[in-house]
Amino acid sequence: MISTTKASKRNLRKKLSRYAKKAKLGEQVNPIIEKETADTNNDKDNQDELGHNDERVDIFYDPNKHKTQKKSRLSTKEQSREYIHFSWMSEDFLSNDLKSVNISQPTSIIDPKFTFLDKFLEKRLQRKIVKGLIDQRLIPPDAVKTNTFTLKFNELYNTQLDILSEAIHNELYKNDDNQKSLPPQSIQSIPTTSLIPTDFMSLLESEVFSLSSEANSMNSSSTREKLWEDFARWAYFFIGPNFRKQFRDHCRRLWLKIEHAYQKLNDQNNTFEEQNISKIFQRNPQDKLYIAEETTKRVVHGIDLKGYLHIFNPQCFKNTFGETLVDFFDLTNPVAVKEAQMVVNQYYDHTRTHPSHQSKNFAKDLSEHFCGFTDSNNEPYTTANTMSNHCREHLGCVQKLIKGLQPLSNAVNDYFNNTYPVLYAKMKRLDLGPNVPKSFGAFPTVAINFNAICQFHRDLKDHRNTLCVVCPLGIFEGGELTFPELRLVVHVKQGYGVAFRSNLLIHGNLPITVGIRHSVVFYIHNTVIKQKRLFKSLFADCKMNVNSDNNLDGSSPKYLPPTLGSENSSVKPKNHRRTHIDIEAIKRGLPAQYKKS
């Protein structure tokens, strides 16, 4: 176990103090502690290529430096606290970060109700946080605009900003059980507009989305006025004189703003209207599972998915505010893609024919995860597949694979840097610390599916406001990436990628008819954001907790009743990936298909 000397701690505090002073002067400084360049046992001439000009050229597992999950658990409480505070850097992602600046790419705009519901819940959460901070006297009442819960940031002192920053993180995730810890994927719920009670949704439908004369005549009804009052209180709207009317006007202004933006963009782009996208947020989580299960069954039985829009060329699907849901893009680097195909094919053929080299993940469902994990652990750690702990001789195969994927990784990172600059800037600031190698640029983890496809599911562990990127490799037919809620089929081949919100959207593959299809998947788990983590007793006796269990209202999420499937069914759908996939045939090198019913 490596202990930290007093001198190193003192130097660390001085360095952080310098960063803090620079930040207060208004400079944009990345407060990430610089790390020594790792010796990768390769020629220095290759370091720029491998690290893609990253300050930390550290792409391979080093047993003398990086930590496995088991080794990280040998740390004392003090060592883990210091690692979390000073070595692990994270900044949360917001839906607003998902705006593309690629104006040359064809774009389709999603139903404006989807955007309204998303933004309404976002504003409600902001008001809830500020109200809680005022109630707890963490910020003064005059720090908000009159008769609102809108902060006046320019009037806060630096010390108040520091307190506010920490308090917001503590308050933001405390009531969302999904953000604290991640239960099994088959039972985990997600935030949806089902959080808006049915009566309030009816008000929005009748008096905001559709301003009919009948609805306006009902405004004088005492019952509806009482309903608007309850709705305002539920939304943490400021309760002042005539607040019911003000809240109703607030909702209408937000809707008119979104509708205006929608109409403006609709004049410039083809609108994707095949599906009411707002239902994505409105459905009960059980209905989500049912849709995934039923779509999988339709594909298993060979039933054609009628009414779906088939996309063959790069295109981006966004909501009204320009936030991406699905982005089908060209990697524009055929050499990088070809090299990735060759190295993945070699790894797949070698591992499939050498059982002693197969990890548990590969043997079970032909998928492996490389680089860093943060699940079920206080400190980030290097994945078992990266360190090849099942077979030391296989470590050379893993390193050759990671090296061969560097040009593809660089191409994906470049696309994000150029297309999603705000998102990518936060991704670059994300650093899991010296416990893990930095193998794939700004992405902490990559999964590879070797000749394997997935049935319809959602990736509940992925961060809700990031984009998962799927890059297929190989010469094949079929395997189209399909989104049943959007009624969208993306015909993505080698040389292209699809970035999408994997936590929100149900997705899966159609069967492969000819050939072998691998896929390299870049993703960001929810738990890499340390402010969203529940560290149990690690900070119980320490003032500097990064998470808080205080609860403002004690309420639990209330979902709309499920409307799909049978309530009497003893078998509930699960969020599985490969229970319907013919894994044994795939292991024999056959095209990936679903099991015969």
Side-chain angles (χ1 to χ4, degrees):
M1 193 185 312
I2 301 174
S3 61
T4 306
T5 65
K6 292 183 178 179
S8 64
K9 291 181 180 178
R10 183 169 59 251
N11 292 334
L12 187 61
R13 285 195 296 269
K14 289 181 179 179
K15 185 173 290 187
L16 290 174
S17 177
R18 289 197 299 271
Y19 281 129
K21 290 179 181 178
K22 290 181 180 180
K24 290 181 180 180
L25 290 175
E27 299 182 13
Q28 292 184 347
V29 177
N30 180 10
I32 296 179
I33 303 169
E34 295 181 0
K35 301 169 180 64
E36 294 181 358
T37 302
D39 179 10
T40 62
N41 297 322
N42 292 299
D43 294 336
K44 292 183 178 179
D45 294 339
N46 294 330
Q47 288 185 350
D48 284 342
E49 176 189 352
L50 296 178
H52 196 48
N53 298 320
D54 200 315
E55 293 180 3
R56 176 177 154 196
V57 183
D58 183 16
I59 68 170
F60 298 134
Y61 169 69
D62 181 351
N64 297 318
K65 178 179 181 181
H66 305 128
K67 288 186 179 181
T68 63
Q69 185 178 31
K70 182 178 180 180
K71 188 175 179 180
S72 72
R73 290 180 174 178
L74 298 177
S75 299
T76 65
K77 276 189 175 184
E78 181 60 34
Q79 289 172 331
S80 291
R81 288 172 185 164
E82 183 169 340
Y83 190 98
I84 292 168
H85 278 300
F86 303 120
S87 296
W88 180 358
M89 301 296 170
S90 64
E91 180 179 356
D92 201 11
F93 303 101
L94 306 175
S95 61
N96 192 50
D97 300 335
L98 301 176
K99 290 186 176 182
S100 167
V101 297
N102 185 358
I103 60 175
S104 63
Q105 188 178 34
T107 302
S108 292
I109 308 302
I110 300 303
D111 184 354
K113 284 186 183 179
F114 175 93
T115 305
F116 175 91
L117 296 171
D118 191 17
K119 295 303 175 185
F120 181 88
L121 290 177
E122 186 174 299
K123 289 178 179 293
R124 174 187 184 261
L125 184 57
Q126 292 170 357
R127 288 191 293 267
K128 177 180 178 181
I129 292 169
V130 174
K131 182 180 184 300
L133 295 177
I134 293 174
D135 291 344
Q136 296 176 53
R137 299 183 179 179
L138 293 174
I139 59 174
D142 59 357
V144 298
K145 296 179 182 178
T146 306
N147 295 334
T148 70
F149 288 124
T150 303
L151 284 170
K152 296 185 289 188
F153 287 96
N154 59 336
E155 295 187 17
L156 292 175
Y157 295 107
N158 287 329
T159 53
Q160 291 176 325
L161 286 172
D162 293 338
I163 295 173
L164 177 64
S165 178
E166 182 179 0
I168 285 176
H169 280 304
N170 292 342
E171 295 288 339
L172 186 56
Y173 309 111
K174 67 184 181 181
N175 288 329
D176 191 342
D177 292 334
N178 297 328
Q179 316 292 9
K180 289 182 177 180
S181 59
L182 293 169
Q185 295 207 11
S186 60
I187 63 173
Q188 184 183 359
S189 300
I190 66 163
T192 71
T193 53
S194 309
L195 289 171
I196 301 179
T198 307
D199 289 342
F200 300 159
M201 281 299 301
S202 297
L203 280 179
L204 291 175
E205 289 288 352
S206 63
E207 298 194 31
V208 176
F209 300 151
S210 176
L211 289 174
S212 64
S213 58
E214 179 182 355
N216 289 330
S217 66
M218 298 176 68
N219 286 341
S220 59
S221 166
S222 59
T223 301
R224 294 186 74 81
E225 285 298 296
K226 180 61 168 61
L227 202 53
W228 274 110
E229 177 180 337
D230 294 341
F231 193 9
R233 294 181 185 277
W234 180 87
Y236 292 92
F237 199 76
F238 185 85
I239 305 302
N242 205 20
F243 71 93
R244 287 182 292 269
K245 182 180 183 302
Q246 292 176 355
F247 177 65
R248 186 161 51 232
D249 291 341
H250 161 77
C251 294
R252 288 173 177 171
R253 283 194 301 271
L254 178 60
W255 171 245
L256 289 174
K257 178 181 177 182
I258 292 172
E259 198 173 36
H260 174 74
Y262 176 79
Q263 291 297 336
K264 183 177 179 181
L265 289 172
N266 189 32
D267 292 338
Q268 304 171 3
N269 304 284
N270 295 325
T271 306
F272 183 52
E273 296 177 337
E274 276 71 13
Q275 182 74 354
N276 183 0
I277 308 304
S278 62
K279 290 182 179 179
I280 293 175
F281 278 175
Q282 293 175 333
R283 290 192 183 102
N284 185 283
Q286 281 298 118
D287 286 349
K288 289 266 194 180
L289 294 175
Y290 179 82
I291 291 172
E293 181 74 10
E294 287 302 305
T295 307
T296 297
K297 288 180 179 179
R298 288 174 65 87
V299 175
V300 168
H301 292 291
I303 301 174
D304 184 33
L305 300 178
K306 296 181 179 179
Y308 279 56
L309 179 64
H310 289 254
I311 303 299
F312 296 88
N313 299 310
Q315 187 171 346
C316 189
F317 296 87
K318 306 176 182 180
N319 66 13
T320 310
F321 280 103
E323 298 163 356
T324 294
L325 293 177
V326 178
D327 184 356
F328 178 21
F329 63 95
D330 187 346
L331 286 166
T332 68
N333 190 338
V335 176
V337 174
K338 186 63 178 178
E339 184 174 348
Q341 180 200 5
M342 291 175 59
V343 72
V344 171
N345 270 336
Q346 291 171 359
Y347 185 94
Y348 166 68
D349 292 336
H350 171 80
T351 307
R352 188 169 62 87
T353 55
H354 292 74
S356 64
H357 283 223
Q358 295 178 9
S359 65
K360 291 182 180 179
N361 300 105
F362 190 97
K364 180 182 178 181
D365 57 14
L366 292 105
S367 69
E368 291 186 325
H369 301 259
F370 298 99
C371 203
F373 265 173
T374 50
D375 296 353
S376 306
N377 213 57
N378 285 332
E379 297 179 20
Y381 59 93
T382 304
T383 68
N385 297 145
T386 307
M387 55 180 282
S388 187
N389 60 351
H390 64 285
C391 176
R392 300 307 300 171
E393 295 178 357
H394 188 61
L395 182 59
C397 304
V398 172
Q399 292 183 345
K400 183 178 179 181
L401 173 67
I402 291 175
K403 180 179 179 180
L405 288 175
Q406 292 308 295
L408 176 65
S409 172
N410 294 341
V412 172
N413 276 266
D414 285 343
Y415 181 79
F416 268 58
N417 185 29
N418 296 328
T419 309
Y420 301 99
V422 176
L423 174 65
Y424 191 72
K426 289 186 177 181
M427 291 169 59
K428 287 288 287 183
R429 289 194 289 270
L430 175 64
D431 190 347
L432 300 185
N435 281 5
V436 301
K438 204 171 180 69
S439 306
F440 303 102
F443 289 90
T445 319
V446 158
I448 304 180
N449 299 309
F450 299 97
N451 190 27
I453 58 175
C454 291
Q455 65 196 55
F456 291 89
H457 69 286
R458 290 184 7 261
D459 297 302
L460 299 176
K461 289 186 178 182
D462 286 3
H463 195 292
R464 181 178 176 82
N465 294 325
T466 60
L467 299 172
C468 164
V469 184
V470 174
C471 300
L473 300 172
I475 301 174
F476 57 89
E477 294 296 330
E480 295 85 355
L481 186 56
T482 304
F483 302 91
E485 292 173 292
L486 301 177
R487 304 184 70 80
L488 187 67
V489 178
V490 181
H491 294 252
V492 55
K493 300 291 186 180
Q494 177 171 297
Y496 296 86
V498 180
F500 61 97
R501 295 179 71 173
S502 52
N503 174 281
L504 174 64
L505 299 172
I506 298 169
H507 58 280
N509 299 108
L510 300 184
I512 304 295
T513 56
V514 177
I516 301 297
R517 177 192 183 274
H518 309 299
S519 62
V520 181
V521 184
F522 300 79
Y523 64 91
I524 300 177
H525 266 178
N526 194 50
T527 52
V528 302
I529 306 300
K530 65 181 180 181
Q531 292 87 350
K532 298 182 116 174
R533 294 290 304 277
L534 180 67
F535 289 104
K536 296 184 178 179
S537 61
L538 186 60
F539 291 91
D541 58 344
C542 179
K543 202 168 136 179
M544 298 177 65
N545 197 345
V546 297
N547 205 314
S548 171
D549 274 335
N550 296 330
N551 197 326
L552 282 177
D553 58 10
S555 61
S556 58
K558 297 179 181 179
Y559 299 104
L560 292 173
T563 59
L564 303 175
S566 172
E567 295 182 0
N568 299 324
S569 174
S570 59
V571 180
K572 301 297 182 182
K574 305 295 183 181
N575 192 50
H576 295 307
R577 287 173 173 76
R578 293 197 170 94
T579 54
H580 291 281
I581 305 299
D582 193 346
I583 295 295
E584 294 306 315
I586 295 174
K587 290 178 180 179
R588 298 195 300 269
L590 298 176
Q593 297 197 0
Y594 287 77
K595 295 176 183 177
K596 302 298 181 183
S597 57

Short mmCIF file of all heavy atoms in Angstrom, two decimals, residues 294-336:
data_model
loop_
_atom_site.label_atom_id
_atom_site.label_comp_id
_atom_site.label_asym_id
_atom_site.label_seq_id
_atom_site.Cartn_x
_atom_site.Cartn_y
_atom_site.Cartn_z
N GLU A 294 -41.37 -6.42 -26.43
CA GLU A 294 -42.26 -6.70 -27.56
C GLU A 294 -41.56 -6.47 -28.89
O GLU A 294 -41.77 -7.23 -29.85
CB GLU A 294 -43.51 -5.82 -27.46
CG GLU A 294 -44.47 -6.24 -26.36
CD GLU A 294 -44.92 -7.69 -26.54
OE1 GLU A 294 -45.45 -8.03 -27.61
OE2 GLU A 294 -44.72 -8.49 -25.60
N THR A 295 -40.70 -5.44 -28.98
CA THR A 295 -39.97 -5.21 -30.22
C THR A 295 -39.01 -6.36 -30.48
O THR A 295 -38.86 -6.83 -31.61
CB THR A 295 -39.18 -3.89 -30.15
OG1 THR A 295 -40.07 -2.83 -29.79
CG2 THR A 295 -38.54 -3.58 -31.49
N THR A 296 -38.35 -6.84 -29.41
CA THR A 296 -37.46 -7.99 -29.54
C THR A 296 -38.23 -9.21 -30.05
O THR A 296 -37.76 -9.92 -30.96
CB THR A 296 -36.78 -8.31 -28.20
OG1 THR A 296 -35.97 -7.21 -27.79
CG2 THR A 296 -35.92 -9.55 -28.30
N LYS A 297 -39.41 -9.45 -29.51
CA LYS A 297 -40.20 -10.61 -29.93
C LYS A 297 -40.63 -10.50 -31.39
O LYS A 297 -40.65 -11.50 -32.12
CB LYS A 297 -41.44 -10.74 -29.03
CG LYS A 297 -41.13 -11.22 -27.62
CD LYS A 297 -42.39 -11.32 -26.78
CE LYS A 297 -42.08 -11.81 -25.38
NZ LYS A 297 -43.31 -11.88 -24.53
N ARG A 298 -40.96 -9.28 -31.82
CA ARG A 298 -41.35 -9.09 -33.22
C ARG A 298 -40.18 -9.44 -34.14
O ARG A 298 -40.37 -10.08 -35.19
CB ARG A 298 -41.79 -7.64 -33.44
CG ARG A 298 -43.14 -7.29 -32.82
CD ARG A 298 -43.44 -5.81 -32.97
NE ARG A 298 -43.60 -5.43 -34.38
CZ ARG A 298 -44.73 -5.51 -35.06
NH1 ARG A 298 -45.82 -5.97 -34.47
NH2 ARG A 298 -44.78 -5.14 -36.31
N VAL A 299 -38.99 -9.01 -33.75
CA VAL A 299 -37.81 -9.31 -34.57
C VAL A 299 -37.51 -10.80 -34.54
O VAL A 299 -37.19 -11.40 -35.57
CB VAL A 299 -36.60 -8.50 -34.07
CG1 VAL A 299 -35.34 -8.91 -34.83
CG2 VAL A 299 -36.85 -7.01 -34.24
N VAL A 300 -37.65 -11.44 -33.37
CA VAL A 300 -37.42 -12.88 -33.25
C VAL A 300 -38.36 -13.65 -34.18
O VAL A 300 -37.95 -14.61 -34.85
CB VAL A 300 -37.61 -13.34 -31.79
CG1 VAL A 300 -37.67 -14.86 -31.71
CG2 VAL A 300 -36.48 -12.81 -30.92
N HIS A 301 -39.62 -13.23 -34.25
CA HIS A 301 -40.61 -13.93 -35.08
C HIS A 301 -40.59 -13.47 -36.53
O HIS A 301 -41.43 -13.91 -37.33
CB HIS A 301 -42.01 -13.72 -34.49
CG HIS A 301 -42.22 -14.40 -33.16
ND1 HIS A 301 -42.28 -15.77 -33.03
CD2 HIS A 301 -42.35 -13.90 -31.91
CE1 HIS A 301 -42.46 -16.09 -31.75
NE2 HIS A 301 -42.51 -14.97 -31.05
N GLY A 302 -39.67 -12.59 -36.87
CA GLY A 302 -39.55 -12.16 -38.26
C GLY A 302 -40.64 -11.22 -38.72
O GLY A 302 -40.88 -11.09 -39.93
N ILE A 303 -41.30 -10.57 -37.77
CA ILE A 303 -42.37 -9.63 -38.13
C ILE A 303 -41.76 -8.30 -38.54
O ILE A 303 -40.93 -7.73 -37.84
CB ILE A 303 -43.33 -9.43 -36.93
CG1 ILE A 303 -43.95 -10.77 -36.52
CG2 ILE A 303 -44.41 -8.42 -37.27
CD1 ILE A 303 -44.80 -10.69 -35.27
N ASP A 304 -42.16 -7.80 -39.68
CA ASP A 304 -41.61 -6.56 -40.21
C ASP A 304 -42.01 -5.38 -39.32
O ASP A 304 -43.15 -5.28 -38.87
CB ASP A 304 -42.11 -6.33 -41.64
CG ASP A 304 -41.48 -5.09 -42.27
OD1 ASP A 304 -40.33 -4.81 -41.94
OD2 ASP A 304 -42.17 -4.43 -43.07
N LEU A 305 -41.06 -4.51 -39.07
CA LEU A 305 -41.33 -3.31 -38.27
C LEU A 305 -41.87 -2.23 -39.21
O LEU A 305 -41.12 -1.42 -39.75
CB LEU A 305 -40.04 -2.84 -37.58
CG LEU A 305 -39.40 -3.84 -36.60
CD1 LEU A 305 -38.11 -3.27 -36.02
CD2 LEU A 305 -40.35 -4.22 -35.49
N LYS A 306 -43.16 -2.22 -39.39
CA LYS A 306 -43.79 -1.31 -40.34
C LYS A 306 -43.86 0.11 -39.79
O LYS A 306 -43.97 0.32 -38.59
CB LYS A 306 -45.19 -1.81 -40.69
CG LYS A 306 -45.21 -3.15 -41.42
CD LYS A 306 -46.63 -3.57 -41.77
CE LYS A 306 -46.65 -4.89 -42.52
NZ LYS A 306 -48.02 -5.31 -42.85
N GLY A 307 -43.81 1.07 -40.71
CA GLY A 307 -43.95 2.46 -40.33
C GLY A 307 -42.69 3.10 -39.80
O GLY A 307 -42.72 4.23 -39.32
N TYR A 308 -41.55 2.40 -39.88
CA TYR A 308 -40.29 2.96 -39.41
C TYR A 308 -39.62 3.78 -40.51
O TYR A 308 -39.71 3.45 -41.70
CB TYR A 308 -39.34 1.85 -38.96
CG TYR A 308 -39.60 1.32 -37.56
CD1 TYR A 308 -40.86 0.82 -37.21
CD2 TYR A 308 -38.61 1.31 -36.60
CE1 TYR A 308 -41.11 0.33 -35.94
CE2 TYR A 308 -38.85 0.82 -35.32
CZ TYR A 308 -40.09 0.33 -34.99
OH TYR A 308 -40.33 -0.15 -33.73
N LEU A 309 -38.93 4.84 -40.10
CA LEU A 309 -38.17 5.66 -41.03
C LEU A 309 -36.77 5.09 -41.14
O LEU A 309 -36.06 4.92 -40.14
CB LEU A 309 -38.10 7.10 -40.52
CG LEU A 309 -37.31 8.09 -41.37
CD1 LEU A 309 -37.96 8.27 -42.75
CD2 LEU A 309 -37.18 9.43 -40.66
N HIS A 310 -36.33 4.77 -42.36
CA HIS A 310 -35.01 4.18 -42.59
C HIS A 310 -34.04 5.26 -43.03
O HIS A 310 -34.28 5.99 -44.00
CB HIS A 310 -35.11 3.07 -43.65
CG HIS A 310 -35.82 1.85 -43.16
ND1 HIS A 310 -35.17 0.67 -42.86
CD2 HIS A 310 -37.14 1.63 -42.90
CE1 HIS A 310 -36.05 -0.23 -42.44
NE2 HIS A 310 -37.25 0.33 -42.47
N ILE A 311 -32.92 5.37 -42.32
CA ILE A 311 -31.91 6.40 -42.57
C ILE A 311 -30.65 5.72 -43.13
O ILE A 311 -30.09 4.82 -42.50
CB ILE A 311 -31.57 7.17 -41.29
CG1 ILE A 311 -32.84 7.78 -40.69
CG2 ILE A 311 -30.54 8.26 -41.58
CD1 ILE A 311 -33.53 8.77 -41.59
N PHE A 312 -30.22 6.16 -44.32
CA PHE A 312 -29.05 5.57 -44.97
C PHE A 312 -27.85 6.52 -45.01
O PHE A 312 -26.73 6.08 -45.22
CB PHE A 312 -29.40 5.14 -46.40
CG PHE A 312 -30.42 4.05 -46.46
CD1 PHE A 312 -31.78 4.35 -46.49
CD2 PHE A 312 -30.05 2.72 -46.47
CE1 PHE A 312 -32.73 3.34 -46.55
CE2 PHE A 312 -30.99 1.71 -46.53
CZ PHE A 312 -32.34 2.02 -46.56
N ASN A 313 -28.09 7.80 -44.83
CA ASN A 313 -27.03 8.80 -44.90
C ASN A 313 -26.95 9.57 -43.59
O ASN A 313 -27.95 9.68 -42.85
CB ASN A 313 -27.28 9.78 -46.05
CG ASN A 313 -27.29 9.07 -47.40
OD1 ASN A 313 -26.38 8.30 -47.71
ND2 ASN A 313 -28.32 9.33 -48.19
N PRO A 314 -25.77 10.11 -43.26
CA PRO A 314 -25.60 10.83 -41.99
C PRO A 314 -26.66 11.90 -41.78
O PRO A 314 -26.99 12.68 -42.69
CB PRO A 314 -24.20 11.45 -42.13
CG PRO A 314 -23.47 10.48 -42.99
CD PRO A 314 -24.49 10.00 -43.99
N GLN A 315 -27.19 11.94 -40.57
CA GLN A 315 -28.25 12.88 -40.22
C GLN A 315 -28.33 12.97 -38.71
O GLN A 315 -28.01 12.01 -38.00
CB GLN A 315 -29.60 12.43 -40.81
CG GLN A 315 -30.73 13.42 -40.64
CD GLN A 315 -31.98 13.01 -41.43
OE1 GLN A 315 -31.91 12.13 -42.27
NE2 GLN A 315 -33.09 13.63 -41.15
N CYS A 316 -28.76 14.12 -38.21
CA CYS A 316 -28.85 14.32 -36.77
C CYS A 316 -30.31 14.61 -36.37
O CYS A 316 -30.99 15.40 -37.02
CB CYS A 316 -27.97 15.49 -36.34
SG CYS A 316 -27.80 15.69 -34.55
N PHE A 317 -30.77 13.97 -35.32
CA PHE A 317 -32.13 14.15 -34.81
C PHE A 317 -32.04 14.86 -33.46
O PHE A 317 -31.39 14.37 -32.53
CB PHE A 317 -32.84 12.81 -34.67
CG PHE A 317 -33.05 12.12 -35.99
CD1 PHE A 317 -32.06 11.30 -36.51
CD2 PHE A 317 -34.21 12.32 -36.72
CE1 PHE A 317 -32.23 10.67 -37.74
CE2 PHE A 317 -34.38 11.70 -37.95
CZ PHE A 317 -33.39 10.88 -38.46
N LYS A 318 -32.70 16.01 -33.35
CA LYS A 318 -32.58 16.87 -32.18
C LYS A 318 -33.95 17.23 -31.62
O LYS A 318 -34.97 17.08 -32.29
CB LYS A 318 -31.84 18.17 -32.54
CG LYS A 318 -30.49 17.98 -33.22
CD LYS A 318 -29.91 19.32 -33.61
CE LYS A 318 -28.58 19.16 -34.32
NZ LYS A 318 -27.99 20.46 -34.71
N ASN A 319 -33.93 17.77 -30.40
CA ASN A 319 -35.14 18.39 -29.90
C ASN A 319 -35.16 19.86 -30.31
O ASN A 319 -34.27 20.33 -31.01
CB ASN A 319 -35.27 18.22 -28.38
CG ASN A 319 -34.19 18.97 -27.61
OD1 ASN A 319 -33.47 19.81 -28.15
ND2 ASN A 319 -34.05 18.65 -26.33
N THR A 320 -36.15 20.60 -29.88
CA THR A 320 -36.33 21.97 -30.34
C THR A 320 -35.18 22.89 -29.98
O THR A 320 -34.87 23.83 -30.71
CB THR A 320 -37.64 22.54 -29.76
OG1 THR A 320 -38.69 21.62 -29.98
CG2 THR A 320 -38.00 23.87 -30.41
N PHE A 321 -34.53 22.64 -28.84
CA PHE A 321 -33.42 23.48 -28.42
C PHE A 321 -32.09 23.06 -29.03
O PHE A 321 -31.04 23.54 -28.63
CB PHE A 321 -33.32 23.48 -26.89
CG PHE A 321 -34.30 24.41 -26.24
CD1 PHE A 321 -35.44 23.92 -25.64
CD2 PHE A 321 -34.08 25.78 -26.23
CE1 PHE A 321 -36.35 24.77 -25.04
CE2 PHE A 321 -34.98 26.65 -25.64
CZ PHE A 321 -36.12 26.14 -25.05
N GLY A 322 -32.15 22.16 -30.01
CA GLY A 322 -30.93 21.75 -30.69
C GLY A 322 -30.12 20.73 -29.94
O GLY A 322 -28.94 20.52 -30.25
N GLU A 323 -30.70 20.06 -28.95
CA GLU A 323 -30.00 19.04 -28.18
C GLU A 323 -30.16 17.69 -28.87
O GLU A 323 -31.26 17.24 -29.17
CB GLU A 323 -30.53 18.99 -26.75
CG GLU A 323 -30.31 20.29 -26.01
CD GLU A 323 -31.17 20.42 -24.76
OE1 GLU A 323 -32.00 19.51 -24.50
OE2 GLU A 323 -31.03 21.44 -24.06
N THR A 324 -29.05 17.04 -29.12
CA THR A 324 -29.04 15.82 -29.92
C THR A 324 -29.65 14.64 -29.19
O THR A 324 -29.40 14.42 -28.00
CB THR A 324 -27.59 15.48 -30.32
OG1 THR A 324 -27.10 16.50 -31.19
CG2 THR A 324 -27.50 14.14 -31.02
N LEU A 325 -30.45 13.87 -29.93
CA LEU A 325 -30.94 12.57 -29.46
C LEU A 325 -30.21 11.44 -30.19
O LEU A 325 -29.77 10.48 -29.57
CB LEU A 325 -32.45 12.45 -29.68
CG LEU A 325 -33.33 13.38 -28.86
CD1 LEU A 325 -34.78 13.20 -29.24
CD2 LEU A 325 -33.14 13.11 -27.38
N VAL A 326 -30.11 11.56 -31.52
CA VAL A 326 -29.41 10.57 -32.33
C VAL A 326 -28.60 11.32 -33.39
O VAL A 326 -29.13 12.18 -34.09
CB VAL A 326 -30.39 9.60 -33.03
CG1 VAL A 326 -29.62 8.61 -33.92
CG2 VAL A 326 -31.22 8.84 -32.00
N ASP A 327 -27.33 10.98 -33.51
CA ASP A 327 -26.44 11.63 -34.48
C ASP A 327 -25.72 10.55 -35.28
O ASP A 327 -24.85 9.84 -34.76
CB ASP A 327 -25.42 12.52 -33.74
CG ASP A 327 -24.53 13.30 -34.70
OD1 ASP A 327 -24.64 13.10 -35.92
OD2 ASP A 327 -23.71 14.11 -34.22
N PHE A 328 -26.09 10.40 -36.53
CA PHE A 328 -25.49 9.45 -37.46
C PHE A 328 -24.44 10.21 -38.26
O PHE A 328 -24.78 11.12 -39.02
CB PHE A 328 -26.60 8.88 -38.36
CG PHE A 328 -26.14 7.92 -39.42
CD1 PHE A 328 -24.94 7.25 -39.34
CD2 PHE A 328 -26.95 7.67 -40.52
CE1 PHE A 328 -24.54 6.35 -40.32
CE2 PHE A 328 -26.57 6.78 -41.51
CZ PHE A 328 -25.35 6.13 -41.41
N PHE A 329 -23.14 9.87 -38.09
CA PHE A 329 -22.09 10.71 -38.66
C PHE A 329 -21.01 9.88 -39.36
O PHE A 329 -20.86 8.67 -39.11
CB PHE A 329 -21.45 11.58 -37.58
CG PHE A 329 -20.74 10.81 -36.48
CD1 PHE A 329 -19.37 10.58 -36.55
CD2 PHE A 329 -21.44 10.35 -35.37
CE1 PHE A 329 -18.72 9.88 -35.54
CE2 PHE A 329 -20.79 9.65 -34.37
CZ PHE A 329 -19.42 9.41 -34.45
N ASP A 330 -20.27 10.55 -40.23
CA ASP A 330 -19.17 9.97 -40.99
C ASP A 330 -17.87 10.16 -40.20
O ASP A 330 -17.55 11.28 -39.78
CB ASP A 330 -19.09 10.65 -42.36
CG ASP A 330 -18.08 9.99 -43.28
OD1 ASP A 330 -17.26 9.18 -42.81
OD2 ASP A 330 -18.12 10.29 -44.49
N LEU A 331 -17.09 9.09 -40.02
CA LEU A 331 -15.84 9.19 -39.28
C LEU A 331 -14.74 9.88 -40.08
O LEU A 331 -13.76 10.35 -39.52
CB LEU A 331 -15.37 7.80 -38.85
CG LEU A 331 -16.17 7.19 -37.69
CD1 LEU A 331 -15.87 5.71 -37.55
CD2 LEU A 331 -15.87 7.91 -36.39
N THR A 332 -14.87 9.92 -41.39
CA THR A 332 -13.97 10.65 -42.31
C THR A 332 -12.50 10.23 -42.21
O THR A 332 -11.61 10.98 -42.59
CB THR A 332 -14.06 12.19 -42.09
OG1 THR A 332 -13.50 12.51 -40.81
CG2 THR A 332 -15.50 12.68 -42.18
N ASN A 333 -12.23 9.04 -41.68
CA ASN A 333 -10.85 8.55 -41.60
C ASN A 333 -10.84 7.06 -41.92
O ASN A 333 -10.78 6.22 -41.02
CB ASN A 333 -10.26 8.81 -40.22
CG ASN A 333 -8.77 8.55 -40.16
OD1 ASN A 333 -8.21 7.82 -40.99
ND2 ASN A 333 -8.10 9.15 -39.19
N PRO A 334 -10.90 6.70 -43.21
CA PRO A 334 -10.98 5.28 -43.59
C PRO A 334 -9.78 4.47 -43.15
O PRO A 334 -9.90 3.27 -42.87
CB PRO A 334 -11.10 5.34 -45.12
CG PRO A 334 -10.59 6.69 -45.51
CD PRO A 334 -10.92 7.60 -44.38
N VAL A 335 -8.61 5.08 -43.08
CA VAL A 335 -7.41 4.36 -42.65
C VAL A 335 -7.53 3.93 -41.19
O VAL A 335 -7.23 2.79 -40.82
CB VAL A 335 -6.15 5.23 -42.85
CG1 VAL A 335 -4.92 4.51 -42.30
CG2 VAL A 335 -5.95 5.55 -44.32
N ALA A 336 -8.01 4.85 -40.34
CA ALA A 336 -8.20 4.54 -38.92
C ALA A 336 -9.23 3.44 -38.73
O ALA A 336 -9.05 2.54 -37.91
CB ALA A 336 -8.63 5.80 -38.17
#
